Amino acid sequence: MIVRIATETQYKLEGDAADELNDLDNQVVAAVDAGDEDQFHALFEQMLDLVRRAGQPLDEDEIAESDVILPPPDTSFVEAAAGFTGEGLIPD
Amino acid sequence: MPGIGGRMSTVIKAKISKMLDRAEDPGETLEYSYQKQMELLQNVKKGVADVVTSKKRLQLQQQKLEQQVVKLDTQARQALAQGREDLARTALERKQFAQTELQSLDQQVAELESQQASLIEKEQKLRSRIEQFRTKKEVIKAQYSAAEAQVKISEAASGVGEEMADVGLAMQRAVDKTENMRARANAMDELEAAGAFDDQLSLTAGEDEIDRELHQLTSQSAVDDDLARLKAELGQGAPEPQSLEPGEQERQA
């Protein structure tokens, strides 16, 4: 799975990490639905961290379309509330 | 309903397919995409220039405020020497306020510096992407009668399209942040022109009552300390118990 962190770069994410990302994604949606800003920031940080840690950055000369695009790391809670809803970034 | 990411890719895909529809000739599609990339590169360059301009302006304000701090300190000293503690206190209150503003300017300048660095990085990356695309474009055009050419074009165009949309997004966010700071810088310039921070509260607009009270508390005690320092320097009044650390007098004099 190719994941982009918007305004940063793209990563290749395999197997378990992709599942983990999906799981975090669902939790973020729950946090946003509950209006829990702190929880949102904590979980969103975990998502970014997971992608940066477990992901393999795409080669500079590789031009590929992403399967998932994470919002910019400086996304505010208000912006997130407009986007992280329903099935989240990764539709089940 | 997909979230932000899903929505963003959908938007990008819609743009790409529109772009592909526009030109029946794949060669034309490629040229169009290439042209769009070059436009974006120009925009990014312009974005960098805007950030630099805003930064210089804030730095100019920093200098003015620093001068202001020195001036107010001198005025407080003069007022005190003439036995006008009330005036001295007002001058020190303003000095305190100017110092708080200085701190906030420092943060903003640092923020703009990081925006600048990240845009320059984007510009370089985009430049190399465009170069790759240009090469790929020539290759695809040379063999576009082949059945797979159409697929390749669509792949290249959507990958590049996403990259372009992302650079555009990064630009937009940088520009938004810069504009917020510029509005604030404008407000400060206007206030300064209208009489150098006479109305302190209007500069802190947007803070709530508690913020203001807290700010007043801290600045009040800082002003008291400052006043005690000046008095000690001028040999007035009893030395304060929590007085100065050695060396501070020379440093602040």
Side-chain angles (χ1 to χ4, degrees):
Chain A
M1 180 163 83
I2 295 177
V3 180
R4 176 186 291 277
I5 297 179
T7 73
E8 286 189 1
T9 190
Q10 286 172 295
Y11 297 85
K12 208 169 267 175
L13 214 60
E14 308 290 349
D16 287 353
D19 290 341
E20 210 181 315
L21 186 67
N22 189 17
D23 184 42
L24 280 170
D25 180 44
N26 291 335
Q27 291 184 53
V28 168
V29 172
V32 169
D33 282 347
D36 190 338
E37 186 166 353
D38 291 342
Q39 182 71 352
F40 158 73
H41 284 297
L43 287 165
F44 186 46
E45 269 315 307
Q46 280 183 48
M47 276 178 111
L48 296 169
D49 188 56
L50 172 71
V51 175
R52 287 174 185 145
R53 195 165 32 81
Q56 188 71 29
L58 231 55
D59 287 341
E60 276 291 301
D61 59 353
E62 205 170 336
I63 299 178
E65 205 180 348
S66 306
D67 300 299
V68 176
I69 301 176
L70 293 188
D74 60 356
T75 297
S76 69
F77 186 65
V78 174
E79 288 174 308
F84 273 110
T85 50
E87 289 178 4
L89 302 176
I90 311 165
D92 291 320
Chain B
M1 257 279 285
I4 290 182
R7 214 181 41 185
M8 198 157 99
S9 346
T10 313
V11 172
I12 295 162
K13 277 175 191 147
K15 274 189 186 162
I16 298 300
S17 67
K18 221 179 202 172
M19 194 171 86
L20 290 172
D21 284 351
R22 195 168 302 164
E24 302 232 318
D25 174 5
E28 210 176 295
T29 308
L30 290 170
E31 289 305 333
Y32 178 75
S33 170
Y34 183 65
Q35 186 197 323
K36 284 283 158 208
Q37 290 170 47
M38 293 305 282
E39 280 172 19
L40 182 61
L41 185 62
Q42 291 308 315
N43 277 337
V44 174
K45 280 186 188 165
K46 194 177 157 290
V48 173
D50 281 353
V51 171
V52 171
T53 309
S54 297
K55 195 180 77 182
K56 280 190 181 147
R57 183 156 175 209
L58 290 184
Q59 283 168 334
L60 204 67
Q61 287 188 338
Q62 272 178 322
Q63 285 171 14
K64 280 189 196 161
L65 274 174
E66 275 159 13
Q67 288 165 4
Q68 188 86 8
V69 167
V70 174
K71 189 178 129 196
L72 287 166
D73 195 66
T74 313
Q75 286 176 336
R77 194 183 305 266
Q78 286 165 347
L80 209 52
Q82 291 167 22
R84 291 293 306 273
E85 185 172 332
D86 56 332
L87 272 182
R89 182 173 287 278
T90 307
L92 291 179
E93 273 165 9
R94 289 187 187 170
K95 178 186 149 191
Q96 190 60 35
F97 180 73
Q99 277 173 331
T100 314
E101 278 301 306
L102 259 178
Q103 277 172 9
S104 138
L105 276 180
D106 287 345
Q107 278 173 14
Q108 291 179 55
V109 168
E111 164 89 1
L112 284 182
E113 250 153 26
S114 95
Q115 298 284 340
Q116 187 185 343
S118 114
L119 280 184
I120 286 173
E121 198 187 310
K122 289 272 165 211
E123 186 191 334
Q124 280 160 355
K125 195 171 165 194
L126 184 65
R127 204 186 287 276
S128 92
R129 278 284 146 102
I130 292 177
E131 187 48 36
Q132 287 159 25
F133 185 80
R134 198 183 61 81
T135 314
K136 208 168 194 168
K137 169 172 81 82
E138 294 313 316
V139 172
I140 294 174
K141 268 165 79 177
Q143 38 169 252
Y144 94 74
S145 52
E148 53 177 18
Q150 195 66 44
V151 177
K152 274 192 180 157
I153 288 165
S154 136
E155 272 173 15
S158 55
V160 166
E162 184 187 309
E163 185 74 34
M164 283 166 64
D166 192 54
V167 173
L169 182 69
M171 270 272 305
Q172 193 51 54
R173 290 180 90 80
V175 166
D176 284 352
K177 281 184 187 159
T178 308
E179 267 168 12
N180 283 342
M181 289 185 199
R182 193 174 302 163
R184 201 181 146 82
N186 280 340
M188 271 184 73
D189 278 350
E190 277 168 29
L191 277 169
E192 199 191 27
F197 308 111
D198 282 346
D199 185 3
Q200 302 187 3
L201 280 184
S202 64
L203 266 178
T204 47
E207 289 182 6
D208 64 16
E209 196 55 39
I210 293 170
D211 276 341
R212 262 198 294 277
E213 276 178 34
L214 282 172
H215 181 253
Q216 251 169 17
L217 269 181
T218 16
S219 70
Q220 204 51 51
S221 81
V223 167
D224 286 341
D225 289 351
D226 227 4
L227 203 57
R229 171 184 66 85
L230 284 186
K231 279 183 179 174
E233 274 181 46
L234 293 165
Q236 293 180 0
E240 296 284 318
Q242 87 286 24
S243 187
L244 299 166
E245 286 170 27
E248 190 161 2
Q249 241 165 314
E250 288 77 4
R251 189 157 51 78
Q252 294 197 348

